């Protein structure tokens, strides 16, 4: 992994004076799932009531600050599935919001916005015997024969 994660002590989220330049919203949600702000040397991500992340040093370092009592599994999910792909992208590594499986030696990827069934389709195919390659962040790596899909950590998120 090309990213160093540093977990800061838990603390309540401060009110931020900087207006977000971008937000992630789930379909039909009124509140933002994640807010993006520019900071000196990088990007600040806020997952309201969960954690703040600073992606700095051109994506090579991520500083995580969870709220008190956030469970370790949720923090790990945010780091691996939401923040890591952004940090890798900041390093110039192609990462797509996608799920993928392997069928007959070929990577099949499902790309799309959140809530459209990428994970559901990949999980269904995995239950039918197609090895799961990734869920949420599909990373490409250039090799002499072309781009190869890099497997990620083994997890799937389904509502």
């Amino acid at each position: 992994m090309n990213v160093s994660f540093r977990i800061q002590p838990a603390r309540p989220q401060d009110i931020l004076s900087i207006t977000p330049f971008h937000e992630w919203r789930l379909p039909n949600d009124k509140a933002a799932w994640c807010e993006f702000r520019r900071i000196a040397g990088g990007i600040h991500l806020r997952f309201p009531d969960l954690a703040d992340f600073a992606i700095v040093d051109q994506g090579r370092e991520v500083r995580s600050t969870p709220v008190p009592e956030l469970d370790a599994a949720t923090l790990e999910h945010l780091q691996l599935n939401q923040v890591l792909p952004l940090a890798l992208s900041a390093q110039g590594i192609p990462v797509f919001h996608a799920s993928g499986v392997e069928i007959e030696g070929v990577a099949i990827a499902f790309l799309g916005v959140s809530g459209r069934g990428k994970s559901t389709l990949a999980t269904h195919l995995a239950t039918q015997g197609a090895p799961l390659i990734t869920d949420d962040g599909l990373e490409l790596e250039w090799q002499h024969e072309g781009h190869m899909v890099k497997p990620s950590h083994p997890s799937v998120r389904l509502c």
Side-chain angles (χ1 to χ4, degrees):
M1 183 183 323
N2 305 331
V3 179
S4 170
F5 280 92
R6 301 186 191 287
I7 301 175
Q8 310 294 323
R11 64 177 169 79
Q13 292 178 317
D14 297 327
I15 295 173
L16 300 173
S17 60
I18 302 168
T19 303
F21 70 87
H22 182 67
E23 293 179 339
W24 282 344
R25 293 178 182 271
L26 297 176
N28 303 319
D29 270 357
K30 293 182 176 135
W33 158 243
C34 180
E35 301 168 341
F36 293 70
R37 292 174 173 82
R38 288 183 178 82
I39 57 171
I43 299 289
H44 176 271
L45 306 175
R46 166 154 292 171
F47 293 87
D49 302 320
L50 296 172
D52 288 325
F53 298 90
I55 301 174
V56 296
D57 193 20
Q58 297 177 326
R60 289 187 289 271
E61 181 179 340
V62 173
R63 297 181 199 128
S64 310
T65 308
V67 299
E69 300 178 16
L70 182 72
D71 62 280
T74 300
L75 181 62
E76 179 181 51
H77 159 73
L78 291 172
Q79 289 176 326
L80 293 176
N81 293 310
Q82 308 300 322
V83 180
L84 178 60
L86 296 170
L88 292 173
S89 292
Q91 295 177 34
I93 297 170
V95 181
F96 297 89
H97 185 213
S99 295
V101 296
E102 178 189 333
I103 298 177
E104 297 181 10
V106 176
I108 307 296
F110 310 104
L111 288 78
V113 297
S114 295
R116 299 295 189 239
K118 299 176 303 297
S119 298
T120 301
L121 184 54
T123 300
H124 173 73
L125 291 170
T127 65
Q128 303 303 306
L132 180 70
I133 297 173
T134 188
D135 183 48
D136 262 348
L138 185 134
E139 181 182 344
L140 295 181
E141 181 179 85
W142 177 255
Q143 296 183 352
H144 351 302
E145 57 274 0
H147 280 94
M148 302 296 286
V149 174
K150 287 183 68 176
S152 69
H153 62 283
S155 76
V156 176
R157 288 182 313 118
L158 295 173
C159 296

